Amino acid sequence: VLLERALGSSAFSTVATLAGAWSEIRRAFAEGEEGRMRGLQASDLVARVGQGGCDRCRGHGTDAVGLPCSSCEGLGLKQDLLELRLRNRSLRTWLTTPLERIEKRLPSDGRLRTLVRHLIALGLGQRTFGERGRHLSLGERGRIALARALEAMAGDLAAMKTAKAAG
């Protein structure tokens, strides 16, 4: 239980939130052309009541008996947000496409692509960003935490190289 808490698992947790990718995904969709036209902020793309959470399941992604919500298909977000598009693909598609397929659609030099590459290398390529953390094994959650740490170290190394080159 202590390790589960350390990995940040909650009813709202998804692969994207556990991996530390959700804030970047939300920001990209809010700052994309359609998000700007709709006046969205990254905070609008949160699966909580009063924000972007599905009205039927209240952002939990499941109905009263634990089955995927029929309104949001288990993703926890309002329909209009799930249809929001970035790079000609809906948020629903970004959240339901296996990581090994989504990796090719990401900018080659971005932090998110590095993170996804680590997740794939650790055997999580068939998982999707929208999958709920409660459906992952403790080992899978541990590998997500490892991928997050590896991505952070890669970012630190890049910053050190930039500082060394400038200095």
Side-chain angles (χ1 to χ4, degrees), residues 16-36:
T17 58
L18 292 171
W22 185 232
S23 59
E24 190 167 335
I25 293 168
R26 288 181 329 175
R27 186 174 44 254
F29 273 87
E31 292 175 359
E33 183 179 350
E34 189 173 327
R36 284 192 321 268

Side-chain angles (χ1 to χ4, degrees), residues 156-167:
D156 291 345
L157 287 173
M160 288 182 350
K161 285 181 183 177
T162 301
K164 187 176 180 181

Side-chain angles (χ1 to χ4, degrees), residues 7-26 45-48 75 95 111-112 115 119 128-134 136 144-145 148:
L7 294 175
S9 186
S10 77
F12 293 98
S13 295
T14 63
V15 170
T17 58
L18 292 171
W22 185 232
S23 59
E24 190 167 335
I25 293 168
R26 288 181 329 175
L45 297 164
V46 176
R48 292 218 167 30
L75 296 171
L95 294 176
R111 171 192 150 333
L112 192 55
L115 175 64
L119 290 167
T128 67
F129 276 134
E131 281 187 77
R132 294 290 171 164
R134 64 179 167 257
L136 302 170
I144 290 171
R148 188 175 184 168

Side-chain angles (χ1 to χ4, degrees), residues 10-98:
S10 77
F12 293 98
S13 295
T14 63
V15 170
T17 58
L18 292 171
W22 185 232
S23 59
E24 190 167 335
I25 293 168
R26 288 181 329 175
R27 186 174 44 254
F29 273 87
E31 292 175 359
E33 183 179 350
E34 189 173 327
R36 284 192 321 268
M37 287 179 9
R38 290 171 58 178
L40 293 175
Q41 301 294 317
S43 61
D44 295 322
L45 297 164
V46 176
R48 292 218 167 30
V49 176
Q51 290 174 300
C54 172
D55 294 326
R56 181 170 286 163
C57 68
R58 304 179 57 78
H60 290 278
T62 58
D63 63 15
V65 294
L67 296 173
C69 173
S70 60
S71 180
C72 67
E73 299 171 12
L75 296 171
L77 294 169
K78 294 178 180 180
Q79 286 293 323
D80 66 318
L81 294 178
L82 290 171
E83 298 310 317
L84 185 65
R85 299 183 78 73
L86 178 70
R87 296 189 185 140
N88 296 319
R89 290 185 170 73
S90 68
L91 179 56
R92 177 187 318 276
T93 299
W94 282 88
L95 294 176
T96 59
T97 300

